[in-house]
Amino acid sequence: MTENYFGWLAHESPTRVWINNPTEEEIGLALAQGAVACTTNPAFGGNLLKRAPDEIESDIAAIVAEGANGDAAVARIQARVVARILPHFLPHFNASGGREGWVSFQGAPELDKEMSEILGAARLARGLGANCIP
């Protein structure tokens, strides 16, 4: 018998658990329970601002100080918070040969009709790290 639900699930099925929009604390908890990857979405920044403001307020201040605003500021904030998650899952990525350990980066859905915006978000994601997937 495995020690937890994620372990049981991995043993009994091909299903693997991804954590969604985690705080720093939740990343550690999820990894300890057997999560193998992470997904984020454009609501991640707003979510962190409510749940763990100390994890994002300095990023917001820095981006505002640099003069960014609107969609560009949101994308840069998303990139910063996702970039901090990547190292946590990189060991899974390396050990599995890229089958696990991914961290997703989703661009703003309201821009998903503009090819240049879609490709820009994908390039930004891939530039963050080997285990970042647009």
Side-chain angles (χ1 to χ4, degrees):
M1 185 90 193
T2 58
E3 295 180 24
N4 60 57
Y5 176 73
F6 290 176
W8 173 85
L9 194 63
H11 183 263
E12 298 294 325
S13 77
T15 301
R16 299 297 175 263
V17 176
W18 291 47
I19 187 169
N20 183 50
N21 291 345
T23 63
E24 287 284 332
E25 178 183 17
E26 291 166 346
I27 292 168
L29 293 170
L31 286 168
Q33 292 295 311
V36 299
C38 177
T39 185
T40 68
N41 58 51
F44 186 31
N47 183 299
L48 275 181
L49 194 55
K50 292 177 188 172
R51 295 175 48 230
D54 57 309
E55 292 183 22
I56 193 169
E57 287 175 340
S58 63
D59 294 312
I60 294 170
I63 295 210
V64 168
E66 293 167 5
N69 59 44
D71 292 332
V74 171
R76 289 172 65 186
I77 291 167
Q78 176 85 346
R80 281 182 178 225
V81 295
V82 169
R84 283 200 298 271
I85 297 171
L86 295 170
H88 296 281
F89 289 91
L90 190 58
H92 276 289
F93 182 81
N94 291 333
S96 71
R99 289 184 320 277
E100 299 176 351
W102 291 102
V103 177
S104 72
F105 180 102
Q106 180 185 347
E110 63 273 7
L111 302 176
D112 69 1
K113 294 171 186 66
E114 301 287 332
M115 183 59 69
S116 63
E117 295 290 341
I118 294 168
L119 292 174
R123 286 184 189 104
L124 174 63
R126 291 301 297 143
L128 293 177
N131 61 326
C132 190
I133 188 168

